[in-house]
Amino acid sequence: MNESRLPWWLVLLLGVWIAALSVWGSPRAAREVRWGAGLLSLVYLALIFLALGGDPRALPTLSAAVPRGVMAAVSAICAGIALLAGVCLLGQPTWRGRLMGFLIFTVANGLNCFAIGVASVGGTLLVASLVLAMVLVRELGRDDWPSVSGWLRELIPVSSRTATEATNTEIHLPSTTRAGLAGATGIVLALLLVGTLRNVMRLETSRAVASHRFSALPSAERVRATWKSEVTGQSTVGPFELLFDQRADVIVLLTVMAFLALARHNATRSHDGTTP
Amino acid sequence: MTFADWNHGLLFAAVLIIMGAMLFVSAATTRDRLIALGVLSQGIVVTFVVSGSFHGRSELLLAALALVVLACLWSLLVGGTVLASDVIDEARTGDQQ
């Protein structure tokens, strides 16, 4: 059985990409530095795509989409629009810009779900985007409607935040009790994440999946063979086991959600000055 | 859905979840946290939609369960508290009106 490992260069690419996105979203960095980090994040996103075995020549373009499949082109274009809207949201624009970016993000995801073939999710997202559009129209109704350049200025960050706002977002830890609590929470979260990743790697290693030499993902034939062998041998598995039993994605998802909730909760308590 | 589409879809979903998580952690006001929660939720839904579409089955039940757990964590640990910046944000909105 071949061991499934996460390549170090993929971890490095992901780390640099997240660091660039963090600088792009930081309100205290200079404007030029933020723009450079934003462009760097897009470059590293393309590198991650190539590292995972993606071929840009295989992406459907508008000219080649008509004979080969319009839905694949629509899905790729919607995914690109959603990614750009997400990057704009991370740039900390104004409140109206955030609302506009989230509206574009939701519409693109809804159309993407329609293109994939899941109409229920796509319809739900489009209905949610209608509600968002009503909120945006109400927000814009207070002032005159901005021009095209005005819309772009709302979406991109043009200046750093004010000193008062930056001060309000700081986390103060004046007492040793709170610092100790923050350190203990950090250690627990680190143990939780490391333990989860170790468990996930053990689960993935136990699967009969081999990695291609230049790709971090298994080959299509290997996945189909494993899937067919699992389907033929799991007639007695119930729905609960199918959903939760030894699924690495569910374990990672629940751990990330718990990490976010605990990290946010800790920051909120420190922010409010509440004694633990 | 081909294997290449599945790979690209999972990469897209992972990027959405990472973006939502970064927005969630760096959010300073309730409005920011709501938008971050929306991005994170859509990333979760797209993950299960793409995964289920490749295997030819619907995994919307699992996506719904994940969203319920996320909403419970939000309401129990985060949603009940009000930050000082929220009060300032509301005051600014009132001044603009």
Side-chain angles (χ1 to χ4, degrees), chain A residues 224, chain B residues 1-7 54:
Chain A
R224 287 198 187 95
Chain B
M1 175 177 279
T2 63
F3 183 71
D5 294 336
W6 182 59
N7 275 359
F54 179 72

Side-chain angles (χ1 to χ4, degrees), chain A residues 66-121:
Chain A
V66 178
R68 285 202 304 161
V70 180
M71 286 303 147
V74 170
S75 176
I77 291 169
C78 290
I81 292 174
L83 285 180
L84 282 179
V87 171
C88 286
L89 282 175
L90 279 170
Q92 306 275 352
T94 62
W95 159 240
R96 290 197 301 189
R98 266 175 270 184
L99 203 56
M100 204 182 311
F102 188 58
L103 176 63
I104 297 171
F105 182 84
T106 309
V107 171
N109 270 337
L111 294 177
N112 194 12
C113 288
F114 267 116
I116 291 175
V118 189
S120 57
V121 177

Side-chain angles (χ1 to χ4, degrees), chain A residues 3-275:
Chain A
E3 187 180 0
S4 174
R5 290 183 297 122
L6 201 61
W8 63 270
W9 43 265
L10 186 58
V11 177
L12 187 66
L13 283 179
L14 282 170
V16 175
W17 178 64
I18 292 176
L21 274 184
S22 301
V23 176
W24 162 250
S26 172
R28 292 190 170 192
R31 184 182 172 188
E32 293 78 11
V33 176
R34 293 184 65 186
W35 274 103
L39 293 175
L40 191 68
S41 69
L42 293 179
V43 172
Y44 272 90
L45 186 61
L47 286 177
I48 291 169
F49 173 75
L50 294 175
L52 285 173
D55 186 0
R57 291 170 298 181
L59 278 181
T61 59
L62 275 180
S63 57
V66 178
R68 285 202 304 161
V70 180
M71 286 303 147
V74 170
S75 176
I77 291 169
C78 290
I81 292 174
L83 285 180
L84 282 179
V87 171
C88 286
L89 282 175
L90 279 170
Q92 306 275 352
T94 62
W95 159 240
R96 290 197 301 189
R98 266 175 270 184
L99 203 56
M100 204 182 311
F102 188 58
L103 176 63
I104 297 171
F105 182 84
T106 309
V107 171
N109 270 337
L111 294 177
N112 194 12
C113 288
F114 267 116
I116 291 175
V118 189
S120 57
V121 177
T124 306
L125 287 177
L126 288 185
V127 169
S129 64
L130 269 180
V131 177
L132 282 171
M134 291 172 61
V135 175
L136 183 61
V137 167
R138 185 181 166 193
E139 190 79 18
L140 289 174
R142 295 173 181 172
D143 308 321
D144 294 333
W145 282 72
S147 59
V148 176
S149 58
W151 286 94
L152 288 177
R153 271 199 299 272
E154 295 280 351
L155 268 178
I156 59 177
V158 291
S159 61
S160 300
R161 288 189 172 191
T162 60
T164 309
E165 195 172 357
T167 307
N168 287 329
T169 56
E170 280 183 355
I171 298 172
H172 299 287
L173 292 172
S175 68
T176 55
T177 308
R178 288 179 196 153
L181 179 71
T185 309
I187 291 174
V188 170
L189 288 176
L191 288 177
L192 187 66
L193 284 177
V194 170
T196 304
L197 287 177
R198 185 173 179 275
N199 187 31
V200 166
M201 293 304 289
R202 185 181 61 79
L203 287 180
E204 293 295 337
T205 307
S206 66
R207 299 177 191 270
V209 182
S211 294
H212 192 264
R213 185 180 175 187
F214 294 111
S215 173
L217 293 174
S219 65
E221 294 77 15
R222 194 66 189 165
V223 168
R224 287 198 187 95
T226 307
W227 180 48
K228 283 178 183 174
S229 64
E230 285 182 355
V231 166
T232 54
Q234 64 173 12
S235 58
T236 59
V237 176
F240 186 79
E241 286 80 7
L242 186 65
L243 287 179
F244 293 106
D245 188 35
Q246 291 200 347
R247 291 197 51 156
D249 49 359
V250 177
I251 297 171
V252 171
L253 182 64
L254 290 178
T255 308
V256 168
M257 288 161 61
F259 168 76
L260 287 175
L262 288 174
R264 187 69 248 177
H265 180 53
N266 190 39
T268 305
R269 286 199 303 185
S270 306
H271 208 64
D272 291 342
T274 309
T275 305

